[in-house]
Amino acid sequence: MSSTVTSSPANSTPDSSSPGSSTPVSTRAAARQLITPQRLAEFFAPRSIALVGASETSGWSRFIVAASAAVGYTGPLLPVHPRHDKIFGRPAVRSLRDLAEPADLAFILAPTEAVASVIDDAAAAGVRNVVVLASGYREAGPGGQELEEALVSQAAGHDIVLLGPNTLGFLNTAAKAAPFALTVPLPLTPGPVGIALQSGALSSALLAFARAQAIGVSTVASLGNEAMISTADVLDYLVADEQTKVICMFLEEIGDPAAFSAAAARADQAGKPIVAMKVGASQAGQAAALAHTGAVAGDDAVVDAALRQLNIVRVTSIEDLLSTAALLGYHRWPRGRRMGVLTASGGACDIIADRATAAGIEIPPFGAATTEAIAAHLPSFANPRNPLDVTGYVLANARTSLMTAIDYALDAAVDDPGLDFVLFTGFTAPEVRPPDEAVAGLLEARVGWLAERLRTAPIPVIPLGMTCTDLAGYGRELLAAHGLHSMAGMELTSRALGHAFSWLDGRGTVRPLAGRPGGPAGQAAAAGQPPVVWSEARARDLLSAAGLPVVPGRLARSADEAAAVARELGSPVALKISSAAVSHKSDIGGVLLDLSGDQAVRDGYGRVVQAARPHGGGDEVLVTAMRSGGIEVLAGVTVDPGFGPVLAVGLGGIWVELLRDTSLRLLPAGVDEVRRMLGELRALPVLEGARGGDRADLDVLATVIAGIGELACSVSGLRALECNPLWVSGDQVEALDVLVVADPDGGNNPDHELNGAG
Amino acid sequence: MSSTVTSSPANSTPDSSSPGSSTPVSTRAAARQLITPQRLAEFFAPRSIALVGASETSGWSRFIVAASAAVGYTGPLLPVHPRHDKIFGRPAVRSLRDLAEPADLAFILAPTEAVASVIDDAAAAGVRNVVVLASGYREAGPGGQELEEALVSQAAGHDIVLLGPNTLGFLNTAAKAAPFALTVPLPLTPGPVGIALQSGALSSALLAFARAQAIGVSTVASLGNEAMISTADVLDYLVADEQTKVICMFLEEIGDPAAFSAAAARADQAGKPIVAMKVGASQAGQAAALAHTGAVAGDDAVVDAALRQLNIVRVTSIEDLLSTAALLGYHRWPRGRRMGVLTASGGACDIIADRATAAGIEIPPFGAATTEAIAAHLPSFANPRNPLDVTGYVLANARTSLMTAIDYALDAAVDDPGLDFVLFTGFTAPEVRPPDEAVAGLLEARVGWLAERLRTAPIPVIPLGMTCTDLAGYGRELLAAHGLHSMAGMELTSRALGHAFSWLDGRGTVRPLAGRPGGPAGQAAAAGQPPVVWSEARARDLLSAAGLPVVPGRLARSADEAAAVARELGSPVALKISSAAVSHKSDIGGVLLDLSGDQAVRDGYGRVVQAARPHGGGDEVLVTAMRSGGIEVLAGVTVDPGFGPVLAVGLGGIWVELLRDTSLRLLPAGVDEVRRMLGELRALPVLEGARGGDRADLDVLATVIAGIGELACSVSGLRALECNPLWVSGDQVEALDVLVVADPDGGNNPDHELNGAG
């Protein structure tokens, strides 16, 4: 769970404390002030677009022209080129300054070295919004970083709002504008799904799947380097955008957790679900993300905890991303998890039952009235149960009437008070219109009936195809004409339902993230100074000073003193070398447990000091009381370079790794939240005294752990604070072992040094 | 892990012992003898087909006619109907007896009550193969079961091989025959994937996805009730079938584990992968399966273990089923897991890296030569690393030459000795031919180059699209013309790769399954008699008699006797009520631990007997030695009604449920196999003495556990035999608690009764 300690990339949102960035605060603040909701709304709806550096041989230009056609853009596309007179049949001007009137937006296709002068031209021409395609900025290293800062400063100075650099632009189907330098698969359907991507090139993959499934989009934005307009800004724009009902994000990094979480909280308040694909779960994935955006990806478990805290649904494929968004964007939201399933295949019933159960969805029996109504339309060998298989017999033998058995079943199921929604596989949209006019007429009448039935049904009805295949041709148009949306396949739909319920459950619980603390900690981390491990005595003092319980113990500097302390504490005792020089005490023989009697303690003192000597251990040995019985818990805080302090709770000792059962929260987290963390553990029965073992007072335990979290947040320069084990028996809680890792100059209690082994 | 004890369905393969079936053994044997490889090959390649009961108003008939056209069937389709003269423009005869010459196969569409007379007609007419569509047999209850047995008997008596009843038939693209009563999405592509389904109606969903992805099929068979031709038979047929390279199965039950496993072993030997979707993982799923086929689905964890032992890849969606099959059926098999990744999107690199890592696939750095060769074709800001993003720049600016940077990268990567295969996203097949002739020509030349490159590359190259969208129109034809197959999407392809490697790893390790033991156990289970729990004393004796170690202990019938036994054993001791009437000893206070001293033992005896009295506990108390330290293991065998005895191994006590870390094997399993089971446990470090704790001699432990497994197999009427905890410390292993559940008349050691509490 601990994150790599490396410098964090400069963040593009200037009001956040970004220790890695050297952009002057004044510039950042000036740039920030430009990004108002009004400016963003204007930015994403330009009515005239200049293409600076456009040429007919450039793929980018061709893509923009095609994308503009795809969204039905009717405004001017104004080519600007220093040497060409005519581009795509349109007269070109030499510079933005030569335009008759300022374009709403300039898409700058010019090479990196020419961008600055184009910005000046834009300013002179009164152009207030620009998209910068060029690469070679932040993602290219320190030189590029400087260049990017200069760019922001220049644009902000001219009152220009900038998307990019290193972006492919955006498209907006409601405003019918598409300064978007990438292939758009046709037809492009306007719709409820807003998309923001940190990898612009990936948007064609998303759009291809959206097209295949007739999933309509509102605005699609490639975020690029986020030098000025950030992920959080686009999130805010999409929350405000009327056409957008659900937001999809492809994320490689969450650069400014505080701004991001504030935007996510606003989305939650607005009732707009966010579905995110955040890559970098694998080591290899992190390396790729590093190369791609020049950003250090946070540790994946921390990201997971963060997204959960923000009620952002996390998915792992493009198909899941868009299916979940389509479900939430097109369909009424079920009020509960009780699902009716209507199919014409027993196998489909089995598959849906398996997948739905895996996604936490129930398939309760139909009510008596529903069963009776359905039975009336089934052959005797079919069973009117939920999930329902009307059997192929029905489909094969009832093509001459408008409604078949599955439709009658739908009629009955939507009125079943025991159901919250219905999954309906009874409609297949053919790609080609049936040549038989009567058959086609019947089909069209049935779609009309179905659309009306869905609209009037007391509970949501979700139509789906059996597998993930394209909706194309006639069938696609037929559904669109009736305002119907069909989900793609049993697998994707089951998962989308699971995601949707998890979002619905999480509404209103969003807790904003603090982000990494500024000040010395971040600074030192940014400077790459290696952290130091405190002596255990110093670490124990930190806890004690905060009123947190540690097992009784004292430092001894001789065998005699050790024996005296042991007598004081009572047998048995533990001895541990206490030295900042020795970080893995057990491994070098610096720890002895269960010592009883003067002689054993004296001998032990000698052995421990001797074992630690080659490692620079000194003569200080911590003598502590031993605890038997009880339960060993882990309570640890690590400071993520991006997200700040993260609390981990689980069973302690070897069980941490064996159980893989740790609950995480980004801090701050109060006692109630920690109590919920304990409740999430699979090992909860152990804490509750499973099979007559010791039990823990969970309220007391949560209070101590919350205190540990609070303490960790207060220590400047902290990298990690871990109690493992934190021993608990009933309402007795004591830290048996305390580890603190901090920056060399970190620690807010310098007087602790007096007590020994700093 | 324990399975529901219910009667198993009659199995259609008469040579297996099917306790639930009352079909006379002679009939079953006669039917079995008909099913030879030669007969199956003939059955699935009919050159003339009679449609008995066909009519123009029947959907089934229309489907068969359309399916026949889809496969290019050129033989006669001969309508037979008692009342119609002409059907689908073809002259109909009144009975099979009226055909000029016998059809190779008769598809019987007639209603249930007419089937028997049609079979007689078929026999009289010399028709040797029939498909029976009608329902109302085994799946409809006891009456249907009888009807089905009569049907088998009748057909076998006439030397007729029968598929069904309750089947939709089959199609065979190589033999161009399709007695298949279901919609076939067009175009239907012949190819390497053989499909067998226990839910016939689902085949149209499979075929729809296969069509969308241009995945070609060989034979698709709906298995129906398997009255005569069983799942194992079709598996055997597909293994023998030349066109079939990989086998897909949709399973609701594995009726005859022995026959099924033998067929799976033959598939493994033949190098034909089996990919299976086995439903019934959820409770709800099992209920659905029950309703659908009248079969009791086995417990899912047991099924999982069984399929793993048979090296059958288990998937959970139709999309995974066919993607995995396509990967194994169309592409060369990689010799290792080191993957090169070539894309034009950094986001795609991230996604593939994440998903590949999740699937156990490596993405090593390119070799120096590869890096150099790739760098030569990239813009300076792109990074020639693995996974490779050639950047959109390359695609946007290189449409006038045959090869782009990604193609040069491919050229280099296939020669990289550090790679085992390459994933290539560099080719998109457009649905429509580019209107610009030059562009189209270039595209076609490039496909040609790519196909040739793939053929000659030293390592496999797997082309894939970014998301799961259809391959359609021009692009589909273009790929087909060049013999190219493209995978569908990063998610499905990553998973398919993971599945493929798991199959490749498992080759040659298939261990046949014994199936459930015949005799009293099965009989009693079938008869639904409730099982009994043995007294612990009797259970301990069973182990002792088999030479397996149990903790020392003896029965005491009075407080004095208990004290005497305790003195003999040494302090402390445990007391447990020993009675067949008390199955949950701890819950009623019938167990006391850690008693030391005469008085404590005497008192304890009284308390235990008193606590058990209301439950009919009697006066017998087991006094056993206590063990401290050590590790508590679970070693348990349950007898699955279908698969027979299954061994479970894991950490004991509460950890069984907390860790969810149990290794399963269908028995028999020797010492080596049990040793491998221990090695599979996540908790292995605990057994190996993690952090200085007690450790287990794994060889000794495996020997004892294998002995427990062997013993369990030898006890007739056994339902479960569980040692929990089985205590181990170094090479000392002792069962501290033994549980035996068996049929009332089970148990092969009646003399144990003498020892007490039977």
Side-chain angles (χ1 to χ4, degrees):
Chain A
M1 201 216 57
S2 72
S3 299
T4 331
V5 179
T6 29
S7 70
S8 178
N11 197 282
S12 55
T13 49
D15 66 350
S16 76
S17 55
S18 256
S21 160
S22 53
T23 308
V25 173
S26 57
T27 304
R28 281 189 263 147
R32 257 345 285 148
Q33 277 176 354
L34 294 182
I35 314 283
T36 61
Q38 182 54 32
R39 278 301 290 269
L40 285 170
E42 279 173 27
F43 187 95
F44 286 106
R47 279 152 309 170
S48 59
I49 298 170
L51 302 181
V52 186
S55 79
E56 290 182 25
T57 58
S58 143
W60 309 123
S61 311
R62 281 197 310 273
F63 290 152
I64 295 171
V65 171
S68 298
V71 298
Y73 177 69
T74 53
L77 277 181
L78 309 161
V80 177
H81 199 282
R83 292 178 307 277
H84 297 167
D85 290 326
K86 209 161 193 179
I87 296 160
F88 297 118
R90 297 174 174 86
V93 295
R94 288 284 184 264
S95 152
L96 283 169
R97 298 173 198 253
D98 302 329
L99 289 174
E101 53 187 81
D104 280 356
L105 183 139
F107 195 118
I108 305 178
L109 297 151
T112 317
E113 58 277 13
V115 169
S117 85
V118 176
I119 298 276
D120 281 338
D121 292 348
V127 174
R128 301 172 72 223
N129 302 304
V130 302
V131 173
V132 178
L133 177 89
S135 305
Y137 291 89
R138 174 164 70 103
E139 83 287 359
Q145 170 83 28
E146 261 177 59
L147 206 59
E148 185 164 313
E149 282 153 17
L151 180 67
V152 171
S153 180
Q154 184 193 11
H158 288 314
D159 191 31
I160 286 174
V161 168
L162 179 151
L163 179 68
N166 194 15
T167 178
L168 297 172
F170 66 89
L171 62 80
N172 181 338
T173 59
K176 297 182 192 246
F180 187 65
L182 200 63
T183 313
V184 175
L186 300 177
L188 176 71
T189 307
V193 181
I195 302 176
L197 306 99
Q198 287 180 349
S199 171
L202 202 65
S203 36
S204 53
L206 268 77
L207 287 171
F209 189 74
R211 166 192 172 273
Q213 296 305 329
I215 297 170
V217 298
S218 52
T219 292
V220 179
S222 158
L223 295 160
N225 284 10
E226 308 182 42
M228 195 183 273
I229 297 181
S230 70
T231 300
D233 294 329
V234 175
L235 203 45
D236 274 337
Y237 158 73
L238 291 171
V239 170
D241 179 48
E242 273 191 24
Q243 198 195 352
T244 302
K245 302 294 175 216
V246 53
I247 299 163
C248 282
M249 313 200 80
F250 179 84
L251 301 171
E252 290 173 332
E253 57 162 341
I254 298 172
D256 183 347
F260 182 78
S261 72
R266 285 188 285 272
D268 189 64
Q269 277 151 26
K272 293 198 182 180
I274 304 176
V275 189
M277 186 169 180
K278 164 72 178 69
V279 289
S282 62
Q283 287 291 334
Q286 294 198 8
L290 189 63
H292 182 56
T293 65
V296 178
D299 182 272
D300 198 60
V302 175
V303 168
D304 223 55
L307 295 181
R308 225 177 309 115
Q309 268 175 243
L310 298 173
N311 199 25
I312 294 177
V313 173
R314 187 175 187 183
V315 296
T316 56
S317 77
I318 294 174
E319 292 87 347
D320 283 320
L321 183 68
L322 288 166
S323 297
T324 304
L327 181 66
L328 285 162
Y330 279 104
H331 299 273
R332 286 153 62 197
W333 298 340
R335 61 173 183 238
R337 289 177 144 84
R338 299 170 306 168
M339 175 169 76
V341 178
L342 310 180
T343 80
S345 149
C349 288
D350 298 338
I351 294 172
I352 292 172
D354 276 5
R355 306 320 296 150
T357 305
I361 297 161
E362 298 157 44
I363 307 180
F366 288 134
T370 313
T371 305
E372 198 180 324
I374 292 175
H377 296 278
L378 291 188
S380 63
F381 57 83
N383 190 340
R385 63 190 297 158
N386 189 20
L388 178 69
D389 167 17
V390 296
T391 78
Y393 177 86
V394 170
L395 294 189
N397 291 284
R399 299 198 353 178
T400 48
S401 65
L402 175 65
M403 285 173 71
T404 70
I406 200 165
D407 303 315
Y408 289 111
L410 178 60
D411 248 355
V414 294
D415 286 324
D416 191 319
L419 300 178
D420 296 316
F421 68 107
V422 173
L423 219 54
F424 182 76
T425 68
F427 183 77
T428 307
E431 270 182 53
V432 179
R433 190 167 193 271
D436 181 330
E437 193 55 43
V439 173
L442 205 59
L443 177 70
E444 283 159 20
R446 184 157 173 259
V447 177
W449 172 83
L450 193 62
E452 185 53 27
R453 198 70 205 84
L454 264 61
R455 257 191 298 278
T456 57
I459 54 175
V461 176
I462 300 162
L464 76 157
M466 301 279 265
T467 59
C468 180
T469 56
D470 289 9
L471 257 180
Y474 168 77
R476 181 191 179 100
E477 285 160 25
L478 189 61
L479 289 184
H482 289 87
L484 277 177
H485 177 267
S486 178
M487 296 291 295
M490 298 181 279
E491 171 76 3
L492 283 173
T493 304
S494 301
R495 279 214 298 264
L497 280 166
H499 292 314
F501 284 120
S502 118
W503 180 78
L504 289 165
D505 288 348
R507 288 190 70 182
T509 67
V510 171
R511 297 194 304 120
L513 310 178
R516 67 173 165 268
Q523 301 285 4
Q529 293 178 40
V532 297
V533 178
W534 288 10
S535 77
E536 189 171 350
R538 187 183 174 194
R540 284 166 50 92
D541 288 351
L542 178 69
L543 259 71
S544 296
L548 294 166
V550 294
V551 70
R554 278 211 292 120
L555 273 184
R557 286 177 186 76
S558 70
D560 283 348
E561 204 180 337
V565 176
R567 276 192 302 274
E568 225 172 84
L569 297 172
S571 283
V573 295
L575 302 186
K576 308 185 213 175
I577 192 76
S578 180
S579 162
V582 179
S583 49
H584 293 92
K585 299 186 288 273
S586 306
D587 297 351
I588 61 148
V591 177
L592 289 174
L593 302 177
D594 254 324
L595 300 179
S596 296
D598 264 25
Q599 199 50 49
V601 173
R602 272 178 220 282
D603 289 356
Y605 177 88
R607 279 157 61 203
V608 161
V609 168
Q610 197 164 354
R613 189 159 298 151
H615 310 277
D619 64 351
E620 293 186 336
V621 171
L622 185 64
V623 185
T624 59
M626 290 289 296
R627 295 291 178 241
S628 62
I631 304 162
E632 298 191 340
V633 170
L634 161 85
V637 176
T638 56
V639 180
D640 184 87
F643 289 103
V646 182
L647 174 66
V649 174
L651 281 202
I654 55 167
W655 301 113
V656 178
E657 284 156 35
L658 286 180
L659 285 173
R660 287 177 207 166
D661 175 33
T662 310
S663 176
L664 289 189
R665 288 292 189 286
L666 277 66
L667 292 176
V671 175
D672 289 350
E673 193 65 31
V674 174
R675 185 66 188 71
R676 274 190 287 276
M677 294 173 75
L678 294 171
E680 287 169 11
L681 297 176
R682 197 144 39 87
L684 180 65
V686 175
L687 294 173
E688 292 176 335
R691 302 225 176 160
D694 249 303
R695 54 173 292 286
D697 183 319
L698 296 179
D699 293 325
V700 173
L701 180 61
T703 306
V704 172
I705 295 174
I708 293 169
E710 202 179 334
L711 173 61
C713 292
S714 75
V715 179
S716 69
L718 187 83
R719 302 282 183 96
L721 164 57
E722 187 176 284
C723 299
N724 184 15
L726 180 70
W727 176 86
V728 54
S729 176
D731 60 1
Q732 256 193 292
V733 182
E734 283 176 356
L736 301 192
D737 201 295
V738 188
L739 172 76
V740 170
V741 183
D743 295 328
D745 51 359
N748 60 356
N749 288 309
D751 54 309
H752 288 152
E753 302 285 342
L754 301 176
N755 206 339
Chain B
M1 202 217 55
S2 71
S3 299
T4 331
V5 178
T6 29
S7 71
S8 178
N11 198 280
S12 55
T13 50
D15 66 350
S16 77
S17 54
S18 256
S21 160
S22 54
T23 308
V25 173
S26 57
T27 304
R28 281 189 262 148
R32 262 335 295 144
Q33 277 178 356
L34 292 182
I35 314 283
T36 61
Q38 182 54 33
R39 279 299 292 270
L40 285 171
E42 280 171 29
F43 187 95
F44 286 107
R47 281 154 306 171
S48 59
I49 298 170
L51 302 182
V52 186
S55 78
E56 289 181 28
T57 58
S58 143
W60 309 123
S61 310
R62 282 197 310 273
F63 290 152
I64 295 172
V65 171
S68 299
V71 298
Y73 176 69
T74 54
L77 278 181
L78 308 160
V80 177
H81 199 282
R83 292 177 307 277
H84 298 166
D85 290 325
K86 209 161 193 181
I87 297 161
F88 297 119
R90 296 176 176 86
V93 295
R94 289 282 183 267
S95 151
L96 283 170
R97 297 175 199 252
D98 301 329
L99 289 175
E101 53 187 80
D104 280 356
L105 181 138
F107 195 117
I108 303 177
L109 298 151
T112 317
E113 58 278 13
V115 170
S117 85
V118 176
I119 298 275
D120 281 338
D121 292 348
V127 174
R128 299 174 73 222
N129 302 303
V130 302
V131 173
V132 177
L133 176 89
S135 304
Y137 292 88
R138 173 164 69 104
E139 83 287 0
Q145 170 83 27
E146 259 178 59
L147 205 60
E148 184 164 314
E149 281 152 17
L151 180 68
V152 172
S153 180
Q154 185 194 10
H158 288 315
D159 190 31
I160 286 174
V161 169
L162 179 150
L163 180 67
N166 195 13
T167 179
L168 297 172
F170 65 89
L171 62 79
N172 181 338
T173 60
K176 297 184 195 255
F180 186 66
L182 201 63
T183 312
V184 175
L186 300 178
L188 176 71
T189 308
V193 182
I195 301 175
L197 306 100
Q198 287 179 349
S199 170
L202 202 66
S203 38
S204 53
L206 269 77
L207 287 171
F209 188 74
R211 166 192 171 273
Q213 297 304 329
I215 297 170
V217 299
S218 53
T219 292
V220 178
S222 158
L223 294 160
N225 284 9
E226 307 183 44
M228 196 185 272
I229 296 181
S230 70
T231 300
D233 292 330
V234 175
L235 203 45
D236 274 337
Y237 157 74
L238 291 171
V239 169
D241 178 48
E242 273 193 22
Q243 199 197 352
T244 303
K245 303 294 175 214
V246 53
I247 299 163
C248 281
M249 313 199 82
F250 178 83
L251 301 172
E252 291 175 331
E253 57 161 341
I254 298 173
D256 183 347
F260 182 78
S261 74
R266 286 188 284 273
D268 189 65
Q269 279 152 25
K272 293 198 182 178
I274 304 175
V275 189
M277 186 169 181
K278 164 74 179 70
V279 289
S282 62
Q283 289 290 335
Q286 291 197 7
L290 189 63
H292 183 56
T293 65
V296 178
D299 182 271
D300 198 60
V302 174
V303 168
D304 222 55
L307 294 181
R308 223 178 311 114
Q309 266 174 246
L310 297 173
N311 198 25
I312 293 177
V313 173
R314 187 176 186 182
V315 296
T316 56
S317 76
I318 293 174
E319 291 87 348
D320 284 320
L321 183 69
L322 288 166
S323 295
T324 305
L327 181 65
L328 285 162
Y330 279 105
H331 300 273
R332 287 152 60 198
W333 298 341
R335 61 173 182 240
R337 288 178 146 82
R338 298 170 308 167
M339 175 169 77
V341 179
L342 310 180
T343 81
S345 151
C349 288
D350 299 338
I351 295 171
I352 292 171
D354 276 4
R355 304 322 294 151
T357 305
I361 297 161
E362 299 158 43
I363 306 180
F366 287 136
T370 313
T371 305
E372 198 180 324
I374 292 175
H377 295 279
L378 290 188
S380 63
F381 57 82
N383 191 340
R385 64 188 298 155
N386 189 20
L388 179 69
D389 167 17
V390 297
T391 80
Y393 178 86
V394 170
L395 294 189
N397 292 284
R399 300 202 346 183
T400 49
S401 65
L402 176 64
M403 284 174 70
T404 72
I406 201 166
D407 302 315
Y408 290 110
L410 179 60
D411 248 355
V414 294
D415 286 324
D416 192 318
L419 299 178
D420 297 316
F421 68 105
V422 174
L423 219 54
F424 182 76
T425 68
F427 183 76
T428 308
E431 270 181 52
V432 178
R433 190 166 192 270
D436 181 329
E437 192 56 43
V439 173
L442 205 61
L443 178 70
E444 283 159 19
R446 185 157 172 259
V447 178
W449 171 84
L450 193 62
E452 184 55 25
R453 196 71 204 85
L454 264 60
R455 257 190 298 278
T456 58
I459 55 175
V461 176
I462 299 161
L464 76 159
M466 303 279 264
T467 59
C468 180
T469 55
D470 289 10
L471 257 180
Y474 168 76
R476 180 192 177 99
E477 285 160 25
L478 189 61
L479 290 184
H482 289 87
L484 276 176
H485 177 266
S486 179
M487 296 291 294
M490 298 181 279
E491 171 76 3
L492 283 173
T493 304
S494 300
R495 278 214 298 263
L497 281 165
H499 291 315
F501 285 120
S502 117
W503 181 77
L504 288 164
D505 288 349
R507 288 190 70 183
T509 66
V510 171
R511 297 195 303 121
L513 310 178
R516 68 173 165 267
Q523 300 287 3
Q529 294 179 36
V532 297
V533 179
W534 288 9
S535 76
E536 189 171 350
R538 186 183 175 195
R540 283 165 51 90
D541 287 350
L542 177 70
L543 259 72
S544 297
L548 294 166
V550 293
V551 69
R554 277 210 292 121
L555 273 184
R557 286 177 187 76
S558 69
D560 284 346
E561 204 181 338
V565 175
R567 278 194 301 275
E568 223 173 85
L569 296 172
S571 282
V573 294
L575 302 187
K576 307 185 215 175
I577 192 75
S578 180
S579 162
V582 180
S583 49
H584 293 93
K585 298 187 286 276
S586 307
D587 298 350
I588 61 147
V591 177
L592 290 174
L593 302 177
D594 255 324
L595 301 180
S596 295
D598 265 25
Q599 197 51 48
V601 173
R602 272 178 223 281
D603 290 354
Y605 177 89
R607 280 157 61 203
V608 161
V609 167
Q610 197 163 356
R613 190 158 299 150
H615 309 276
D619 64 351
E620 294 187 334
V621 172
L622 186 65
V623 185
T624 59
M626 289 288 297
R627 295 292 178 238
S628 63
I631 304 162
E632 297 190 341
V633 170
L634 162 85
V637 176
T638 56
V639 180
D640 183 87
F643 290 104
V646 182
L647 175 65
V649 175
L651 281 203
I654 55 165
W655 302 113
V656 177
E657 284 156 35
L658 286 180
L659 286 172
R660 288 177 206 168
D661 175 33
T662 310
S663 176
L664 290 190
R665 288 292 188 287
L666 276 67
L667 293 176
V671 176
D672 289 352
E673 193 63 33
V674 174
R675 184 67 189 71
R676 274 190 286 275
M677 294 174 74
L678 294 171
E680 286 168 11
L681 296 176
R682 198 143 40 85
L684 180 65
V686 174
L687 295 173
E688 291 175 335
R691 304 223 176 159
D694 250 302
R695 54 172 292 285
D697 183 321
L698 296 179
D699 293 325
V700 173
L701 181 60
T703 306
V704 172
I705 295 175
I708 292 169
E710 202 178 334
L711 173 61
C713 292
S714 75
V715 180
S716 69
L718 186 84
R719 302 280 183 99
L721 165 57
E722 188 176 282
C723 300
N724 183 15
L726 181 69
W727 176 85
V728 54
S729 176
D731 60 0
Q732 258 192 292
V733 182
E734 283 175 356
L736 302 192
D737 201 295
V738 189
L739 173 74
V740 170
V741 183
D743 295 327
D745 50 357
N748 61 357
N749 289 309
D751 53 308
H752 289 150
E753 301 285 343
L754 300 177
N755 207 339

